[in-house]
Amino acid sequence: CGVFGVLAAEGDVAKLVYFGLYALQHRGQESAGITVYDDRGTTHTHKAMGLVAQVFNETILSEMKGSLGIGHNRYSTTGSSKVCNAQPIIINTRLGDFSLAHNGNLVNATELRGELSAQGHALESTTDSEGIAFAVSEAVEEGKNWQGAIITALKRCHGAFSLVMATPNALIGARDAYGVRPLVIGKTPDGSYVLSSETCGLDIIGAEYVREVKAGELVIITMDKGIESWQWEESQPKLCVFEMIYFARPDSVMHDESLYTYRLRIGRELAKENFVEADIVIGVPDSGIPAAIGFSRESGIPYGEALIKNRYVGRTFIQPTQAMRESGIRMKLNTLKDVLQGKRVIVIDDSIVRGTTSRKIVRALREAGATEVHMRISSPPVTHPCFYGIDTDSQDHLIAAQKSVDAIAKQIEVDTLAYLSHDAMLKATQIDTTHFCTACFTGKYPIEVPDKLKRTKLM
Ligand code: 5GP
Ligand code: SF4
Ligand code: MG
């Protein structure tokens, strides 16, 4: 999911939140929502199924008055694809309205929802996120202030959560102790504060990057006091490495460099580890392109474009059903026959998950005249499901959990297939290599996954 929030000294923020969500659209395409607080502290919320640009228009945004607002783009991992699961979630408390937008996935959602229901809370959605919001409101009703209530609630949550929240006069951000999902703080030249999943959300509204919200940190931002911070849990950074490889936008900055630069570098590493003779290197748009350019620079084999994407079809991966995924893929990519005719082709992609897209691409390249097709993947084989907010499917659908690299090569009909090593993927980050979650490549889950949940996705 994408989460975003703005607190301005004055003026309406609904449009800024809209543009922030627009820049974060790649993080979730199922539903979008914005909540603003007017000057009396009353919330106004609009949320619906669809893309940000489908859910909002000028009229809706201009009616949302207020200088504090948060927003959310949903990508479903838990809870079904329904409008009651759209966010932000708003709960009325004795201290005023509390609103919350969540990116990530709790591993104890069932337990938390069970406890809250037993305590008499009427949960309305089927998401883990609602549990966090109710846990906050419960602690408020027990007499705690916002800061105390939020910390109490966060301590009941296990799993991945980057949260953007608001109360009538504060914009609030928090990350789990592992910082699995990203979250950054920005500031505009006129003094407004911004929280965004990625830095591309700051750029679009002209905000400067201040710093990231740290793993295990809670920030409460008010116009009076600026940014106040609490380390609510000891930090043990484990950023999702898939954010670096694929999920986040290439123009977003993490660890002081753009992800484009990281992706170029893993392309170079891939060429060092898995060179093969060929006439042209191409990337699968959009996510395979930077690594393909890196591969070409390192290997000296010319880079070319031979797959053209219709940019107006959503990320196939995010469509909820396999049938939609398959038709989405056909709509999405077309080949350039004059570029491919008679060529030995190296095709680079960021990952193979189910293998269905890859086989289609390989067939299309051959139909367009490629004489050899060599696939190189800028991450290791995905052998394990994610429980922290990326929908990589259950293990029995992951092709690399079932088959060897040779068998995958056969199934996707390539001449050769090779993956980036786990070591090179981490070294190329150029930061402490223990600071990443890589569980979908290793099965070593940094946040313990309860057996009951494991059984839902593991073979
Ligand atoms: P496949 O061949 O597994 O069907 O699809 C692989 C392609 O889909 C890659 O281009 C990748 O960008 C995209 N993709 C689809 N699902 C996922 C996913 O869950 N995680 C990642 N990292 N990429 C995915
Ligand atoms: Fe990211 Fe994989 Fe870890 Fe999930 S399991 S958080 S996709 S690295
Ligand atoms: Mg891709």
Side-chain angles (χ1 to χ4, degrees), residues 160-227:
F161 47 91
S162 279
L163 302 168
V164 171
M165 301 167 276
T167 67
N169 70 354
L171 174 65
I172 302 171
R175 282 171 90 192
D176 64 77
Y178 304 86
V180 176
R181 300 282 146 232
L183 187 63
V184 298
I185 308 173
K187 205 169 175 188
T188 65
D190 65 358
S192 302
Y193 292 93
V194 187
L195 291 173
S196 176
S197 289
E198 298 177 30
T199 63
C200 65
L202 306 181
D203 299 334
I204 197 173
I205 61 164
E208 291 288 323
Y209 172 77
V210 175
R211 64 177 179 86
E212 61 168 26
V213 176
K214 292 192 281 278
E217 187 187 23
L218 166 69
V219 294
I220 300 189
I221 307 172
T222 54
M223 273 300 156
D224 297 348
K225 296 185 181 158
I227 303 167

Side-chain angles (χ1 to χ4, degrees), residues 159-288:
F161 47 91
S162 279
L163 302 168
V164 171
M165 301 167 276
T167 67
N169 70 354
L171 174 65
I172 302 171
R175 282 171 90 192
D176 64 77
Y178 304 86
V180 176
R181 300 282 146 232
L183 187 63
V184 298
I185 308 173
K187 205 169 175 188
T188 65
D190 65 358
S192 302
Y193 292 93
V194 187
L195 291 173
S196 176
S197 289
E198 298 177 30
T199 63
C200 65
L202 306 181
D203 299 334
I204 197 173
I205 61 164
E208 291 288 323
Y209 172 77
V210 175
R211 64 177 179 86
E212 61 168 26
V213 176
K214 292 192 281 278
E217 187 187 23
L218 166 69
V219 294
I220 300 189
I221 307 172
T222 54
M223 273 300 156
D224 297 348
K225 296 185 181 158
I227 303 167
E228 293 179 282
S229 156
W230 291 265
Q231 195 65 36
W232 68 271
E233 188 106 295
E234 192 185 334
S235 109
Q236 297 166 257
K238 293 285 178 194
L239 177 70
C240 167
V241 77
F242 247 134
E243 293 274 354
M244 310 271 300
I245 292 167
Y246 159 81
F247 199 61
R249 242 169 67 162
D251 53 332
S252 285
V253 174
M254 290 184 189
H255 307 116
D256 299 324
E257 71 174 7
S258 72
L259 297 180
Y260 181 83
T261 298
Y262 172 72
R263 291 170 193 175
L264 279 182
R265 202 180 299 125
I266 51 179
R268 282 188 178 273
E269 293 305 314
L270 190 55
K272 286 184 202 159
E273 288 185 335
N274 295 296
F275 179 82
V276 56
E277 288 291 347
D279 303 308
I280 185 173
V281 179
I282 66 169
V284 179
D286 294 319
S287 50

Side-chain angles (χ1 to χ4, degrees), residues 37 40-43 90-99 136-137 140-141 146 166-169:
Y37 288 73
R40 283 165 311 164
T42 308
T43 54
I90 300 91
I91 299 189
N92 193 262
T93 78
R94 70 176 177 91
L95 298 178
D97 284 353
F98 174 72
S99 58
V136 172
S137 82
V140 166
E141 301 312 340
W146 287 117
T167 67
N169 70 354

